[in-house]
Amino acid sequence: MRYTANDRKYRFMSAFDTETGAYVRTGILDDTGRDTGVDPFRASFPHLIDVGVMGHCIHGKTGLCAKAGIGCYQSGMLIEQPNISVENFRWIAEQCKGRCNQLALGGRGDPDQHEHFEELLKISRDNDLVPNFTTSGYGMTPEISSLCSRYCGAVAVSWYRSEYTINAVKMLMNAGVKTNIHYVLGRNSIDEAIRRLRENDFTEGINAVIFLLHKPAGQGTEANVISSRDERVAEFFAQVDLPHPFKVGIDSCTVPGALNYCRRVIPQSLDTCEGGRFSCYIGADMPMVPCSFDQEKKYQVSLTDMTIEEAWNSEVFERFRNKLKRACRGCKKRALCMGGCPLMPEIVLCESAERIDKSPVRTENLR
């Protein structure tokens, strides 16, 4: 089923296909309804919400992430809070019906291990929302993969370099689930990423490999952050540029690197940071932030005091958006990149001189 929405406030239209996951936006429309070709800066309501349904990780004590060379950015090994309640999840979903396209289930642990996982999936679909999630695959079972086939748009398995990783991928594919691999790209993993892309060494039949840039958040260390001066970065993107038997994707945090190093990728196909613009994160204890990597909660609004729409239009969220509006004002690629991550400038794969320009800029006409 395809949904088409008209954002009258910010004057653009969008369409989302619940079967394929295809999502498109027009540019800002002029008074005659024609597309101006200028991308809208934000939406009236988030089109995707990352819901941290897990308040704790049941595998945290085993150190799965650490053993896989991945630092849990939500500190799942250290923090133990209750998982989201069914009532709170339903409250979120009912506000999103007809306004949001997808709910990405996440949090401090594998969403498929939530005690009411099936009910969360049903609530999503009852409110015309497509649920997706990422899992380590450690607790994946045929029963869970069957639920995913019935309700989910896609499922991603984190690349944990273990037998259970491959088993989970195969289990999901056998159930007919569109299955991706999420690969965290850090200094400790970029050599492997280059080799696997060069040799097409990922499980046959997967839909895509999505590379997620390592961030120094939670248990993620600064020492593992990739520098744009690292000669391996150019080699990595050269491999991304080549054809593969599976799709290759990157998260929005990696977009500056693709713009600087890729030669075949169509720049307009890349979406830079959508935090506070078209997406946000809601935690299990109901805080809402523009991006889940805001682990210091600099831009947090509590949903115990307001609705999602009120939080979305809050002064706190506007402060976050202003960082994107003011970034790299002299750069020709500004419209495609917006300076990259507004939370952690050290991860931005760019050496452009314009990145140091912090002078004020008028923002009222930037949409």
Side-chain angles (χ1 to χ4, degrees):
M1 184 182 297
R2 175 167 293 177
Y3 292 97
T4 303
N6 186 2
D7 193 314
R8 297 182 184 279
K9 184 175 182 179
Y10 294 105
R11 296 167 55 192
F12 71 93
M13 297 186 70
S14 63
F16 177 71
D17 192 318
T18 61
E19 298 301 322
T20 66
Y23 167 69
V24 294
R25 293 193 298 262
T26 67
I28 296 173
L29 305 177
D30 64 19
D31 293 338
T32 67
R34 293 181 179 178
D35 191 330
T36 62
V38 178
D39 286 342
F41 178 73
R42 58 166 293 194
S44 299
F45 194 88
H47 290 185
L48 181 149
I49 298 182
D50 189 352
V51 185
V53 299
M54 301 299 289
H56 61 276
C57 179
I58 66 173
H59 308 309
K61 302 302 181 184
T62 67
L64 285 185
C65 294
K67 290 176 182 177
I70 297 171
C72 176
Y73 77 94
Q74 295 222 29
S75 300
M77 289 178 64
L78 306 175
I79 301 175
E80 291 194 20
Q81 294 180 346
N83 296 332
I84 198 168
S85 68
V86 171
E87 292 73 22
N88 279 345
F89 187 83
R90 182 178 287 109
W91 181 80
I92 291 170
E94 288 176 349
Q95 290 182 69
C96 292
K97 185 173 184 177
R99 310 187 72 184
C100 180
N101 300 322
Q102 303 180 69
L103 296 182
L105 311 186
R108 296 187 192 96
D110 292 337
D112 51 43
Q113 302 302 301
H114 191 284
E115 59 271 26
H116 301 293
F117 180 61
E118 182 174 4
E119 191 166 359
L120 301 187
L121 298 183
K122 287 181 178 178
I123 290 171
S124 299
R125 285 294 185 173
D126 287 345
N127 287 279
D128 299 330
L129 299 161
V130 177
N132 303 296
F133 69 96
T134 303
T135 177
S136 73
Y138 190 81
M140 182 60 63
T141 65
E143 291 74 23
I144 293 175
S145 60
S146 178
L147 287 175
C148 297
S149 178
R150 194 181 316 165
Y151 294 108
C152 295
V155 176
V157 179
S158 296
W159 188 248
Y160 274 23
R161 303 165 178 83
S162 299
E163 184 178 357
Y164 61 79
T165 305
I166 304 301
N167 288 342
V169 169
K170 291 181 177 178
M171 210 178 298
L172 288 163
M173 290 195 300
N174 288 339
V177 179
K178 182 181 287 187
T179 307
N180 299 327
I181 287 175
H182 276 184
Y183 188 112
V184 177
L185 193 69
R187 290 183 63 188
N188 66 341
S189 64
I190 189 169
D191 286 330
E192 180 195 358
I194 292 168
R195 180 190 65 77
R196 288 189 179 276
L197 284 175
R198 186 183 294 125
E199 299 174 5
N200 292 321
D201 186 19
F202 287 101
T203 309
E204 185 177 354
I206 60 168
N207 176 62
V209 176
I210 313 295
F211 291 94
L212 314 174
L213 200 61
H214 167 86
K215 291 90 173 172
Q219 292 171 276
T221 65
E222 289 189 17
N224 199 29
V225 173
I226 295 176
S227 168
S228 57
R229 294 183 292 275
D230 189 326
E231 61 184 17
R232 297 175 298 174
V233 170
E235 188 176 355
F236 167 75
F237 282 107
Q239 292 299 319
V240 170
D241 250 346
L242 298 175
H244 298 278
F246 42 78
K247 298 175 186 175
V248 176
I250 57 174
D251 64 357
S252 59
C253 314
T254 317
V255 164
L259 290 172
N260 285 321
Y261 294 100
C262 286
R263 298 294 175 263
R264 301 183 183 182
V265 172
I266 300 172
Q268 289 76 14
S269 69
L270 300 171
D271 259 338
T272 191
C273 178
E274 295 198 336
R277 302 172 55 233
F278 296 95
S279 67
C280 66
Y281 175 82
I282 298 174
D285 53 344
M286 304 302 280
M288 179 166 146
V289 288
C291 171
S292 63
F293 287 99
D294 182 12
Q295 292 296 299
E296 296 181 3
K297 302 179 180 179
K298 294 179 180 178
Y299 300 96
Q300 175 178 300
V301 180
S302 175
L303 292 181
T304 59
D305 303 322
M306 60 182 71
T307 65
I308 294 174
E309 184 171 15
E310 289 170 337
W312 183 250
N313 292 314
S314 67
E315 183 273 335
V316 174
F317 267 57
E318 194 58 28
R319 277 196 284 115
F320 181 88
R321 295 181 188 111
N322 282 338
K323 295 200 72 172
L324 291 165
K325 291 176 180 178
R326 292 170 178 158
C328 303
R329 56 184 295 194
C331 182
K332 295 179 180 179
K333 298 177 182 177
R334 207 211 83 81
L336 295 168
C337 173
M338 297 186 192
C341 180
L343 292 171
M344 294 167 277
E346 63 268 35
I347 73 169
V348 180
L349 295 173
C350 182
E351 292 295 312
S352 172
E354 285 83 359
R355 289 196 62 225
I356 64 173
D357 187 352
K358 306 295 182 182
S359 55
V361 61
R362 292 171 63 90
T363 61
E364 60 268 37
N365 293 323
L366 291 172
R367 293 185 286 189

